[in-house]
Amino acid sequence: MGQPSPARTQGEWWRAAVIYQVYVRSFADGDGDGTGDLAGVRARLPYLAELGVDALWFNPWYLSPMADGGYDVADYRAIDPAFGTLAEAEKLIAEARELGIRTLVDIVPNHVSDQHPWFQAALAGGPERELFHFRPGRGAHGELPPNDWPSQFAGSAEPVWTRMPDGDWYLHLFTPEQPDLNWAHPAVRQEHEDVLRFWFDRGVAGVRIDSAALLAKDPDLPDFVEGRDPHPYVDRDELHDIYRSWRAVADAYDGIFVGEVWLPDTERFARYLRPDELHTAFNFSFLSCPWDAGRLRTSIDETLAEHAPVGAPATWVLCNHDVTRTVTRYGRTDTGFDFTTKAFGTPTDLSLGTRRARAAALLSLALPGSVYLYQGEELGLPEVELPPGSIQDPMHFRSGGTDPGRDGCRVPLPWAAEAPHAGFGGEPWLPQPADWPAYAADRQADDPDSMLGLYREALRIRRTEPGFGDGPLGWLPAPDGVLAFARPDGLRCVVNLSGIPAELPEHSRLLLTSGPLDAEGRLPQDTAAWLRG
Ligand code: GLC
């Protein structure tokens, strides 16, 4: 491995970082019970170091009944026994740090598990009721929910209220096992700031904030009226005060935040990234953008323009644990491109999707800012169509079985082609498809043309070239359907999305391509190149 660039080792490391998302349950199973765990991650740290990532973001690993894959937290200060212990988490954080890899944890402030002691005490009629949103129902006998808000789970017709035996209802934007907290209550704010300190004290470098724009609610909990401003629970102004206090906590540790902020309004989105609020937020507009040169360029320009006034670096995300995997999404030609389309049986051309995903990897890694990489993306894993009987995601059940949910991107990873369960560990909690060994990390490791080979090489170059990462970007003249831009130090990236092979700039040296050039040395369709000069 080359020498780490200065930006990576000191100062504002997060402005140019490559952050690898670990969905622990499906990463690697160290104890053979079929569920991924911290022992599995610790054993694979050398793999992650060799891949060349700067940090790991762990999906929630806390004590949880797993009604929503751990996004239903019963105790923020304990690791779920299925994953390991707090002592192991501390070791993992320290061991990763020794390899130059930082750790980010995931905090879920909008709601807790219905098994959380606060909610249990609330159910028992204690003053903890004030920490949630309990309300009498409407109708003559209170038999109707207090308002008409829609569920946050796409395709779900289920109400966001559940009635208690005493007649009152409680609010849950997600499942009934995830009661929403009342962020107007000072104890809720105090507890979360303590939880942040708890994890910063254990050496984490940052925190991902789940559903970051949903916490604050209109205290009157009015019905939802299309277009009414402010929205009763999305992107309310009160949130900024909350995040300013969080920032003060993080600053004492040099910790950073990345917010999960899905907002169509770019000016409103950028408010979360003001210098005294969150450092970064996921850029979902790039993830949702079709494989089309014009639209990608617009998405990139808009992203950079919206971040510039607040001085925050952009993030580039192609995939995560909630969306259809990249090679499948880019391989769907008949439905257009919709990252929420998870329909069973949608025709997919995986070789096309893989070619595009390889080009998209070089595109996103050449853009200014930080990049998120979801486990298995570096192996080119496709979305899996699970047999309906194996699906566990609550989104599937809350859609009445019409939406396959998000398990198709959460299937346990293949590590070793010849080993049982492709080297994951015990019988996996979600079944792996028959062709999983073909994607195994050990099968790709020595093949420079594999997806893993491409990611390793791209990350190696990116690490040694400070010109990639944060900094300016200048578009270069290019034919229709071709994206070409310059970065500092003479670095260039060219991506051809057109059907016509593209000439590469003269007098430039090729650093890496996502696929072979044609016989005339031109860049074929759905291929990207990095060059210098
Ligand atoms: C976020 C998470 C998702 C979870 C939801 C509720 O969107 O990414 O997985 O279901 O929040 O916590």
Side-chain angles (χ1 to χ4, degrees):
M1 273 187 279
Q3 289 301 307
S5 67
R8 182 169 181 252
T9 48
Q10 45 182 271
E12 299 192 322
W13 63 275
W14 43 274
R15 300 187 77 93
V18 176
I19 300 172
Y20 185 95
Q21 179 187 352
V22 182
Y23 194 77
V24 181
R25 213 179 174 190
S26 302
F27 185 72
D29 170 19
D31 65 4
D33 67 355
T35 294
D37 47 36
L38 302 189
V41 180
R42 288 173 64 198
R44 302 288 175 184
L45 284 175
Y47 167 87
L48 295 166
E50 203 175 343
L51 179 58
V53 298
D54 301 301
L56 305 176
W57 149 36
F58 289 92
N59 287 102
W61 55 14
Y62 322 103
L63 185 70
S64 166
M66 300 284 159
D68 182 19
Y71 281 93
D72 47 322
V73 179
D75 182 353
Y76 271 112
R77 297 174 180 83
I79 298 290
D80 195 88
F83 298 151
T85 62
L86 184 59
E88 265 182 295
E90 289 174 353
K91 278 198 195 125
L92 167 52
I93 294 165
E95 288 164 358
R97 198 67 193 80
E98 271 165 32
L99 294 170
I101 301 176
R102 294 175 163 91
T103 296
L104 275 69
V105 291
D106 201 330
I107 299 287
V108 191
N110 182 66
H111 44 266
V112 289
S113 161
D114 61 350
Q115 301 304 309
H116 189 285
W118 279 2
F119 195 69
Q120 288 296 311
L123 291 188
E128 288 79 1
R129 276 201 172 214
E130 301 292 316
L131 306 175
F132 298 90
H133 298 285
F134 281 87
R135 289 289 189 285
R138 296 198 281 203
H141 309 286
E143 72 282 8
L144 299 172
N147 70 26
D148 67 352
W149 294 357
S151 172
Q152 283 301 295
F153 277 143
S156 169
E158 307 270 317
V160 296
W161 294 92
T162 291
R163 197 170 194 192
M164 306 306 306
D166 69 5
D168 274 3
W169 300 70
Y170 70 88
L171 175 72
H172 50 85
L173 290 182
F174 295 89
T175 72
E177 293 84 6
Q178 294 165 295
D180 279 45
L181 287 166
N182 172 14
W183 272 88
H185 198 293
V188 171
R189 289 184 66 154
Q190 183 61 50
E191 167 66 0
H192 281 80
E193 290 176 21
D194 287 352
V195 166
L196 293 176
R197 285 190 200 95
F198 179 88
W199 285 104
F200 284 133
D201 281 337
R202 272 154 193 81
V204 310
V207 171
R208 179 247 188 202
I209 309 170
D210 185 70
S211 302
L214 301 181
L215 281 44
K217 314 288 185 308
D218 182 329
D220 297 332
L221 303 178
D223 276 344
F224 175 76
V225 178
E226 191 69 50
R228 183 157 71 195
D229 198 27
H231 192 287
Y233 62 87
V234 179
D235 183 34
R236 293 180 61 81
D237 287 342
E238 303 90 290
L239 287 167
H240 298 287
D241 186 47
I242 296 171
Y243 293 133
R244 275 192 286 269
S245 336
W246 284 33
R247 178 63 180 252
V249 174
D251 280 349
Y253 294 89
D254 240 355
I256 65 123
F257 293 117
V258 55
E260 188 202 20
V261 183
W262 294 85
L263 289 182
D265 181 328
T266 56
E267 189 274 325
R268 299 283 310 182
F269 173 87
R271 289 184 191 207
Y272 292 81
L273 302 176
R274 289 177 288 199
D276 57 348
E277 298 193 39
L278 310 184
H279 304 72
T280 54
F282 292 122
N283 172 12
F284 292 119
S285 92
F286 184 67
L287 182 153
S288 330
C289 189
W291 187 245
D292 172 274
R295 292 182 63 179
L296 281 167
R297 180 167 169 165
T298 302
S299 168
I300 293 165
D301 281 339
E302 284 178 358
T303 298
L304 297 176
E306 86 201 20
H307 284 75
V310 285
T315 65
W316 307 98
V317 187
L318 291 173
C319 196
N320 66 31
H321 66 294
D322 290 330
V323 304
T324 303
R325 278 201 178 271
T326 320
V327 302
T328 302
R329 248 172 37 219
Y330 285 141
R332 284 183 179 162
T333 45
D334 65 331
T335 53
F337 179 92
D338 178 359
F339 72 95
T340 60
T341 303
K342 300 187 185 105
F344 296 110
T346 312
T348 302
D349 177 346
L350 278 186
S351 73
L352 175 71
T354 302
R355 228 170 33 246
R356 291 176 170 177
R358 292 173 66 93
L362 293 200
L363 169 62
S364 52
L365 287 165
L367 291 170
S370 65
V371 174
Y372 281 80
L373 177 55
Y374 174 49
Q375 68 180 37
E377 207 176 347
E378 82 282 18
L379 300 176
L381 295 184
E383 185 82 0
V384 177
E385 285 200 14
L386 290 157
S390 314
I391 296 179
Q392 304 202 18
D393 183 12
M395 189 183 259
H396 172 66
F397 301 105
R398 292 182 67 76
S399 73
T402 55
D403 186 323
R406 302 160 296 179
D407 287 341
C409 65
R410 300 173 178 179
V411 172
L413 295 193
W415 290 99
E418 305 295 333
H421 311 304
F424 172 68
E427 167 97 44
W429 68 280
L430 286 174
Q432 297 166 317
D435 64 353
W436 229 221
Y439 295 96
D442 71 344
R443 186 155 287 182
Q444 300 194 35
D446 298 324
D447 177 3
D449 295 332
S450 66
M451 188 69 100
L452 181 58
L454 177 73
Y455 266 102
R456 279 186 180 163
E457 184 59 6
L459 294 192
R460 188 192 65 75
I461 295 174
R462 194 180 197 273
R463 212 166 41 243
T464 50
E465 294 288 356
F468 285 134
D470 201 23
L473 170 150
W475 292 104
L476 300 168
D480 266 3
V482 177
L483 297 173
F485 55 88
R487 300 300 320 274
D489 304 334
L491 296 168
R492 291 175 183 209
C493 176
V494 183
V495 191
N496 185 4
L497 293 90
S498 80
I500 303 164
E503 301 288 345
L504 288 172
E506 283 176 15
H507 312 300
S508 56
R509 188 163 65 83
L510 210 50
L511 300 175
L512 184 63
T513 60
S514 66
L517 301 182
D518 73 7
E520 280 82 53
R522 294 171 307 182
L523 193 66
Q525 184 169 18
D526 296 329
T527 310
W530 284 0
L531 308 106
R532 182 195 301 284

